[in-house]
Amino acid sequence: MELPLIALLLVVGLALGWGVGAQYARARRGWTDYRAAKRAVPGARRAALLLVRAVFTKVGVIALLLFGAVAYAAVGPDHDRAEPAPGPSPSVTATHGVTRGR
């Protein structure tokens, strides 16, 4: 009668050990991944800040160029060097009621 009880306890112990061991292995992998991610965060943060700084620099340069173009356009053209506007062209019209040579 003791042999089946020992076998049952062995099976239960193996099942519990397998479950606890699988959970422990999963926790170890999670902890290792967490430490790797924690080590990578400062480098990733630094890289992200460098990329953001580059984007802001480009946007700032473009904004300054646009502001300069608008300011230049607001001043207007130089009237001394500007071509004169074309005047009205003379039109030839027939005069009614006037007879020449009589």
Side-chain angles (χ1 to χ4, degrees):
M1 181 92 159
E2 270 185 43
L3 191 59
L5 183 60
I6 292 175
L8 180 65
L9 289 176
L10 181 63
V11 169
V12 169
L14 284 174
L16 287 176
W18 178 77
V20 170
Q23 292 298 320
Y24 178 74
R26 185 177 297 152
R28 288 293 293 171
R29 284 193 306 267
W31 183 250
T32 303
D33 292 344
Y34 169 74
R35 285 188 296 184
K38 189 176 177 183
R39 278 193 304 265
V41 164
R45 184 180 296 140
R46 208 171 301 122
L49 288 176
L50 286 175
L51 290 174
V52 167
R53 183 188 310 170
V55 168
F56 276 128
T57 301
K58 289 176 185 176
V59 168
V61 168
I62 291 170
L64 285 174
L65 289 173
L66 287 175
F67 179 75
V70 168
Y72 180 75
V75 170
D78 190 2
H79 291 294
D80 295 336
R81 286 188 276 157
E83 295 289 326
S89 62
S91 62
V92 179
T93 59
T95 56
H96 297 289
V98 176
T99 56
R100 290 188 177 216
R102 287 191 184 178

